[in-house]
Amino acid sequence: QKEVEQNSGPLSVPEGAIASLNCTYSDRVSQSFFWYRQYSGKSPELIMSIYSNGDKEDGRFTAQLNKASQYVSLLIRDSQPSDSATYLCAVINQGYSSASKIIFGSGTRLSIRP
Amino acid sequence: DTEVTQTPKHLVMGMTNKKSLKCEQHMGHRAMYWYKQKAKKPPELMFVYSYEKLSINESVPSRFSPECPNSSLLNLHLHALQPEDSALYLCASSQVGPNTQYFGPGTRLTVL
């Protein structure tokens, strides 16, 4: 079982709709969760970070965390063509007292169709 | 300011060359990272420096040699690379601990 799992996609969503990206993780002691957006040929860009159960909203983006179900999601409202990218779910586990080791999912390719 | 800079943007080298990748941040972060990313794959961790000391080495071949000369700079020295080492090399930095990592723009490396 992979430590962080995402559907690879592509996920195709019409412009203006809500895009829903999902991620599950295997280590119950995971404590920090991130969503990165990566355009082709570019570096990952932080979209959201979430540390506690519930929802966290930032503009058109909402991250949701459910530690009991070991599930984290990203909702993108009013999807725009510029949202077309690969979205990487990332998790940091406890146990690294000095340096943090991110575990990345394989990424979900999102395509917003006009 | 959450900027991490990397030079060069692109690098083409032969298998007998020696070259270095450079990374710099001025956010006061004391943890810095090197990742390797192949096309359509997530970044793979190579090295982690914490307080300028090598903290994590993910069993990377010795032809990759990291160096952290001070708290703002991170280098990756390359020697006798193979064509399969061609990839996007990413630097990142963070506060020490399970905190957000900020990525630089990357160096696109091609080994001929």
Side-chain angles (χ1 to χ4, degrees):
Chain A
Q1 181 190 7
K2 290 184 183 176
E3 294 185 71
V4 179
E5 295 209 48
Q6 299 179 251
N7 287 325
S8 61
L11 175 65
S12 181
V13 173
E15 185 174 355
I18 296 176
S20 178
L21 304 165
N22 303 315
C23 174
T24 58
Y25 59 94
S26 60
D27 192 339
R28 285 197 168 274
V29 299
S30 298
Q31 57 180 7
S32 304
F33 306 87
F34 309 93
W35 284 99
Y36 286 87
R37 177 177 64 198
Q38 188 171 25
Y39 295 112
S40 181
K42 302 295 185 183
S43 66
E45 174 192 7
L46 181 72
I47 297 295
M48 293 285 281
S49 59
I50 187 166
Y51 302 93
S52 54
N53 278 329
D55 295 359
K56 180 181 177 182
E57 186 174 322
D58 183 1
R60 295 187 296 112
F61 299 95
T62 298
Q64 299 174 317
L65 175 61
N66 183 325
K67 289 188 177 181
S69 300
Q70 296 175 236
Y71 175 88
V72 58
S73 65
L74 180 70
L75 300 178
I76 306 175
R77 289 182 299 282
D78 188 24
S79 296
Q80 303 295 310
S82 59
D83 295 326
S84 298
T86 294
Y87 288 80
L88 296 164
C89 175
V91 173
I92 294 178
N93 300 335
Q94 291 178 331
Y96 296 96
S97 59
S98 61
S100 59
K101 181 174 177 179
I102 275 187
I103 310 297
F104 284 99
S106 56
T108 298
R109 282 184 298 133
L110 175 65
S111 176
I112 307 300
R113 56 182 191 272
Chain B
D1 182 14
T2 55
E3 187 178 29
V4 177
T5 59
Q6 288 187 244
T7 55
K9 286 188 171 56
H10 301 276
L11 178 61
V12 179
M13 60 187 289
M15 290 190 285
T16 58
N17 291 157
K18 285 185 182 182
K19 296 287 185 183
S20 297
L21 309 184
K22 297 185 183 303
C23 174
E24 188 168 7
Q25 57 88 14
H26 294 288
M27 294 179 277
H29 292 167
R30 300 304 296 274
M32 296 185 76
Y33 311 78
W34 280 115
Y35 290 86
K36 172 184 176 181
Q37 188 175 25
K38 302 283 269 186
K40 300 190 189 303
K41 297 289 186 183
E44 297 174 40
L45 183 66
M46 300 175 72
F47 303 104
V48 182
Y49 273 83
S50 177
Y51 297 106
E52 296 87 69
K53 290 191 182 345
L54 186 62
S55 177
I56 297 175
N57 178 339
E58 293 288 277
S59 302
V60 177
S62 60
R63 56 186 185 268
F64 296 92
S65 175
E67 178 197 19
C68 189
N70 61 51
S71 60
S72 301
L73 292 174
L74 185 67
N75 299 322
L76 186 63
H77 302 298
L78 314 173
H79 175 55
L81 294 193
Q82 305 296 309
E84 60 264 28
D85 297 321
S86 299
L88 180 67
Y89 287 83
L90 295 162
C91 174
S93 72
S94 75
Q95 300 288 359
V96 170
N99 296 301
T100 303
Q101 292 184 20
Y102 296 95
F103 285 83
T107 294
R108 174 71 60 188
L109 174 67
T110 303
V111 182
L112 300 176

